[in-house]
Amino acid sequence: MGPGKQFTLPSQAAAVAQNGDTIHIAAGQYHGDVASWGANNLTICGIGGRAALFADGQNAEGKGIWVISGPNTSTTTIVNVEFHDASVPDQNGAGIRLDGGNLLLRNTGFYDNEDGILGGEQGTTVTIEYSEFARNGFGDGFSHNCYIGFVDRLNVKASYFHEAKIGHNLKSRGKENYIEDSYFMDGPTGTSSYLVDIPNGGVLFMRGNLFHKGPNADNSIAISYWAEPGNGGVNWPTNTVTMVQNTVVSTFPGGTYIYAPSNTTSLTLTANLFAGSAGLLTGGFASSKAIQTSNFMTTAANVPNAPTGQFWPNASILSQLGLATIPDPNYVQDSPQPMVLRTITGTTRMIGALQSSP
């Protein structure tokens, strides 16, 4: 669909789409067009570049630009599509409102919406790859760059979350959350609350990510885990935190890198670089119970360009970051810049996410 095609607007294609269809949207800007997608197992692709959707004050079902629904057996795949400026009277207008089914996003963008994505139900999976979430949030602390519901599993890979407006850069109530090779950034002026918020516990596994907590953040904690036990009637049966080969930099004065309550089953930290004046843990989980191997704590001055997205440490500490062994043989790619992966070479590793200079 697109100019000169059978359908000129996404909403026209949505109205006639059948289960299993593939919809091609010509690259370009589409203003004031919103849609509800009800067919199952759709693939929706921007062709020739990204299709950029601008709400221009319109919304579907009072929820956002696109509303997607389907049974747990259905997967909607969206590639090369951008969502801009969603707003609704309830102040939680989403680029995508996910009301049912599985969702796979690849090379998508969510900019200046009241919520980037909002939704996700038990029994489903949300996968986000090579996608960007920027400046989403109404500014009330209840809307976020990306807000995933009680899904069975959230997968995030090689994506970029930055400058959420008061809300969190990524919030997920999912049962299992696997977050890898992604950037979570306030930058010098961002006002997000948590960089990552996993409020109902569950499995949190983070590997190869780069985090920057900025001086204007709305909350002193960078990564929050299980801060809302029982919210929505859900406490997951397995409650573990694992962080491997991440770089966490805080230029916020003081604060804490990780919040975890005392009833967290386990907290494992391996080969992470923490840079700033923050404390390691708060929330009740004792530092003595944390399983720590080869982590390194230093000042933010030793990762001086983190606020601009450059996380390579100063030469003065590089010699202290070398590892004699490979902590995780499955860590085979790092991310020298947002949404870019490169193969890690050699037989040694360094503490932190980056294994060589960008």
Side-chain angles (χ1 to χ4, degrees):
M1 55 128 300
K5 306 296 182 182
Q6 179 182 5
F7 303 107
T8 59
L9 296 172
S11 60
Q12 296 170 337
V16 298
Q18 301 297 305
N19 293 345
D21 278 356
T22 296
I23 297 94
H24 290 168
I25 306 177
Q29 295 188 1
Y30 298 84
H31 287 267
D33 185 71
V34 297
S36 297
W37 300 88
N40 300 333
N41 297 313
L42 296 177
T43 299
I44 309 169
C45 301
I47 299 297
R50 281 186 175 181
L53 312 177
F54 291 82
D56 287 359
Q58 303 301 307
N59 67 77
E61 303 179 36
K63 296 177 179 180
I65 296 175
W66 281 3
V67 178
I68 296 173
S69 58
N72 291 358
T73 55
S74 172
T75 298
T76 301
T77 300
I78 301 174
V79 183
N80 296 342
V81 181
E82 294 180 1
F83 302 84
H84 296 256
D85 305 324
S87 62
V88 300
D90 290 342
Q91 301 174 353
N92 63 355
I96 291 177
R97 178 68 172 264
L98 182 58
D99 280 352
N102 305 287
L103 180 65
L104 169 59
L105 301 177
R106 185 175 294 120
N107 191 32
T108 57
F110 297 80
Y111 306 102
D112 305 297
N113 305 284
E114 291 173 341
D115 272 297
I117 300 171
L118 175 59
E121 299 182 348
Q122 285 184 279
T124 66
T125 295
V126 173
T127 299
I128 300 168
E129 300 175 342
Y130 299 95
S131 294
E132 182 177 12
F133 296 77
R135 302 177 304 276
N136 300 291
F138 181 77
D140 57 359
F142 299 103
S143 50
H144 311 283
N145 246 342
C146 183
Y147 188 178
I148 304 300
F150 296 102
V151 298
D152 277 11
R153 179 161 173 146
L154 169 66
N155 303 306
V156 176
K157 181 77 171 178
S159 292
Y160 185 23
F161 302 78
H162 59 104
E163 299 167 281
K165 295 178 180 176
I166 303 297
H168 311 311
N169 274 296
L170 172 62
K171 180 171 185 170
S172 171
R173 298 188 184 275
K175 181 179 181 180
E176 297 182 359
N177 305 273
Y178 291 85
I179 303 168
E180 300 185 69
D181 303 309
S182 296
Y183 282 65
F184 299 85
M185 293 191 56
D186 287 330
T189 61
T191 59
S192 81
S193 182
Y194 304 132
L195 297 174
V196 171
D197 181 32
I198 310 296
N200 286 78
V203 173
L204 173 59
F205 179 87
M206 298 194 293
R207 178 171 58 195
N209 302 291
L210 302 106
F211 300 90
H212 172 249
K213 184 77 169 174
N216 297 311
D218 191 56
N219 194 298
S220 63
I221 295 167
I223 298 162
S224 178
Y225 177 79
W226 211 359
E228 301 177 27
N231 192 304
V234 172
N235 280 312
W236 298 117
T238 302
N239 299 284
T240 60
V241 178
T242 305
M243 293 179 62
V244 182
Q245 302 256 199
N246 301 279
T247 297
V248 188
V249 180
S250 178
T251 53
F252 188 93
T256 313
Y257 294 116
I258 303 166
Y259 174 98
S262 59
N263 52 340
T264 302
T265 305
S266 66
L267 193 152
T268 304
L269 306 175
T270 305
N272 300 287
L273 172 60
F274 297 98
S277 60
L280 180 62
L281 285 168
T282 190
F285 191 90
S287 296
S288 59
K289 290 179 58 181
I291 303 169
Q292 297 196 57
T293 306
S294 301
N295 299 291
F296 188 85
M297 299 189 74
T298 187
T299 64
N302 280 323
V303 193
N305 298 314
T308 63
Q310 299 295 320
F311 284 82
W312 188 240
N314 270 345
S316 60
I317 66 167
L318 285 178
S319 63
Q320 302 175 68
L321 301 180
L323 293 167
T325 61
I326 296 177
D328 186 345
N330 293 316
Y331 188 45
V332 296
Q333 293 178 308
D334 68 356
S335 182
Q337 61 190 54
M339 297 181 291
V340 173
L341 295 179
R342 65 179 174 184
T343 300
I344 300 171
T345 60
T347 58
T348 60
R349 294 290 181 270
M350 294 178 56
I351 295 170
L354 295 179
Q355 297 302 298
S356 60
S357 171

